[in-house]
Structures are given as C-alpha cells and as structure tokens.
Amino acid sequence: MNEWAPIAKEYDPLKAGSIDGTDEEPHDRAIWRAMLARYVPNKGVTGDPHLTLFVARLNLQTTEEKLKEAFSRYGDIRKIRLVRDLVTGFSKGYAFIEYKEERALLKAHRDANRLVIDQHEIFVDFELERTLKGWIPRRLGGGFGGKKESGQLRFGGRDRPFRKPINLPTMKSDFYGEGPVEKRERSWSREGARDWRARDRDPERNRDNRWLERERSWAWGESNRERERDSKEERSRGRDRKDRERKDRERDRSRERDSKKQRDDDKHR
C-alpha cells in the first residue's frame, strides 16, 4: 500500500480493472484476455508521446487532410499518422495526432471526443503505448474503457485515476484535497457543515435531537390521522348524497307511473 498512487506508472490489466487498484482476482473475461495477450509496441514510431493524441473509430474513407482540417482548430499540428494496412494501404480506422504545444493537446482531448467526422463519432484519448509501460490496447482486453461511465471501466489513467482504497492509511494529498485534520475541520465549519464529532460528544444535544425527531413523527402521525378522518367523512358524505339522489329518482319514477295509470283510467271511462 505504500506504493499506491492514483495514476498508474505501469499498466497492469488486473489493477486497471479495479476501482482502487487493489484487486487480486480478475472479474471479467476482458481482463483475462489482456493478461494473456502478447502485445509488442511499434518501436519505429517517432515524435513526442506526451504531445500525441490517439484518435479511433474513424470512417475508413477519412484522410489525413480531413483530420488536419478538423483538429487544427485546437492548435498547431506537428504530425498526423493515419494507420494503414501494409498490404492494401487502406485505413484501419485510427490515427495519432502530434501537437506542438501541450495546451492544444489538452484542448483537443477535452473538446474533440465524440466529434462527428464523415458521419462517424470519433473517440479521442492520450497516447499510452509509449508513455505507460506494459500497455495493452482495448481491442486485446486492455485500455481504460473509453469515456463512458458504465460498462467495462478501467482505471489508473490521467482522466480516470484510481479511487482511494478504504484500508489506505491517512495521507496528505492535494489530489484529493486532503490535509491536516484541524485544517479540514476549519474548512468544513467555514462552509457551514456540521461538526459530527462535537455532536457525538454532546449527549444533551443528542437528546434534544431525538425529542425533535419524535415530535416530528408524532406530528406526522397526527396529520395522517386527520387526513384519514377527512377522507372517511368525505366518503360518507358522498354515500349520503348518492342515497338521496337514488331516492329522488325512485320517487320521480313512482309519480310518473301513477300519472300514467291515471290517464289510462280516464281513457277507459
């Protein structure tokens, strides 16, 4: 645990599949595939890997000129490498774009993901083949799982770091906004949050809170009972009204029958 860090220094499929990097057993088949994969990076690639973006899910008809037109809006491009098949020369659907400045790289990484080029929604990520030792591509079960917050997630990258393990000892880390206990408590009090430790140490306050909760529950019960009584009275009034209407209809029918009978008797006379 002393060597734990939120950003991975070396790619391990088993750790990348864990939310905090502490798993010991694979939990899906993709991790098994990545652990059994034998991937050899292309050593003939040149350029600065820390200024290079990986662009995937491209239309097979997309050219270098189209990529330059789409990505030059974020900054000056030094080089575009569209990966093609060695035999046919056709595009494989992914490319690497090297920028001249890190600011342009970060802007393109933030804004160009899910951009539509030639009717295809592309995927953009940092290049990790030369920056992260032991990297396994996503097509072999590795990777960091894209930008989605569901499905097969992978952790340890810059945009999705490991979560802090539960059994990790207390550490001062600006990454998680941590610091001395006294400083954190002061910041919480400034934000208006309650001091839970002080509350636990104050039995009188706990007793008052319990009484308040009981009063609220009693008030809630009284309001429920009042609503039930009102609903019962309303139902009884509705039944009485229906009974009166039914009796009025029966009285009108009897009167009509009597008048009709009287008319018939007058005719026969």
Side-chain angles (χ1 to χ4, degrees):
M1 295 302 293
N2 294 330
E3 299 179 355
W4 184 90
I7 307 298
K9 299 177 181 178
E10 182 174 347
Y11 187 78
D12 185 346
L14 183 58
K15 291 182 179 179
S18 169
I19 193 170
D20 56 4
T22 59
D23 279 8
E24 298 180 356
E25 293 291 337
H27 59 80
D28 62 43
R29 287 184 292 180
I31 296 177
W32 279 113
R33 288 179 55 221
M35 293 173 66
L36 299 175
R38 296 292 179 266
Y39 177 72
V40 180
N42 186 357
K43 297 183 179 180
V45 178
T46 59
D48 189 349
H50 298 284
L51 296 177
T52 305
L53 282 181
F54 169 69
V55 183
R57 302 173 189 168
L58 294 172
N59 190 324
L60 298 182
Q61 307 301 322
T62 301
T63 61
E64 289 87 344
E65 291 76 14
K66 187 70 174 181
L67 287 174
K68 185 175 182 180
E69 178 185 351
F71 281 86
S72 60
R73 70 183 72 171
Y74 306 109
D76 295 333
I77 295 176
R78 180 175 294 165
K79 182 181 178 182
I80 295 179
R81 180 167 64 93
L82 180 63
V83 180
R84 297 180 179 273
D85 188 272
L86 293 176
V87 178
T88 62
F90 294 153
S91 170
K92 288 189 174 183
Y94 62 97
F96 296 90
I97 301 176
E98 182 184 355
Y99 282 94
K100 294 182 180 180
E101 298 179 350
E102 186 178 5
R103 180 175 58 183
L105 174 85
L106 297 176
K107 187 176 181 181
H109 177 265
R110 184 186 68 240
D111 299 338
N113 187 57
R114 304 187 71 176
L115 185 69
V116 177
I117 300 177
D118 292 336
Q119 293 80 45
H120 275 227
E121 189 178 272
I122 66 171
F123 168 76
V124 177
D125 202 355
F126 298 111
E127 182 193 349
L128 296 169
E129 183 175 338
R130 292 180 290 165
T131 59
L132 193 60
K133 184 179 179 181
W135 173 252
I136 302 295
R138 191 178 181 186
R139 59 186 172 84
L140 298 178
F144 283 125
K147 305 292 182 183
K148 294 184 179 179
E149 295 302 324
S150 61
Q152 292 179 345
L153 295 183
R154 300 290 180 265
F155 301 87
R158 281 187 284 179
D159 56 341
R160 190 183 288 117
F162 289 121
R163 305 283 180 85
K164 182 179 178 182
I166 298 175
N167 58 346
L168 188 68
T170 303
M171 299 167 57
K172 296 180 182 179
S173 173
D174 293 337
F175 184 85
Y176 290 100
E178 296 175 349
V181 176
E182 296 81 9
K183 184 177 179 181
R184 291 204 305 272
E185 289 181 353
R186 284 198 298 271
S187 64
W188 293 344
S189 63
R190 282 198 300 269
E191 295 174 359
R194 289 182 290 182
D195 191 347
W196 298 100
R197 296 182 181 179
R199 186 200 66 175
D200 294 337
R201 290 194 299 266
D202 191 353
E204 295 294 333
R205 184 175 179 180
N206 288 340
R207 190 179 300 113
D208 295 340
N209 290 338
R210 286 196 296 270
W211 275 109
L212 287 174
E213 291 176 359
R214 289 177 184 174
E215 289 178 357
R216 290 195 195 100
S217 64
W218 291 338
W220 177 256
E222 289 294 333
S223 62
N224 283 340
R225 284 191 288 273
E226 290 178 0
R227 282 197 294 270
E228 290 178 359
R229 283 198 300 269
D230 294 340
S231 62
K232 288 180 179 178
E233 291 177 358
E234 187 175 353
R235 285 197 297 269
S236 64
R237 286 196 297 268
R239 285 195 294 268
D240 294 340
R241 186 172 58 254
K242 289 181 180 179
D243 292 338
R244 286 196 300 271
E245 292 175 355
R246 180 173 54 80
K247 291 179 180 179
D248 293 339
R249 286 195 298 270
E250 291 178 354
R251 190 182 304 113
D252 294 338
R253 291 195 194 98
S254 64
R255 288 177 180 175
E256 289 179 359
R257 284 196 298 270
D258 294 340
S259 61
K260 185 177 181 180
K261 185 177 180 182
Q262 185 67 31
R263 289 196 299 270
D264 293 340
D265 293 342
D266 293 341
K267 286 180 181 179
H268 287 94
R269 287 176 187 172

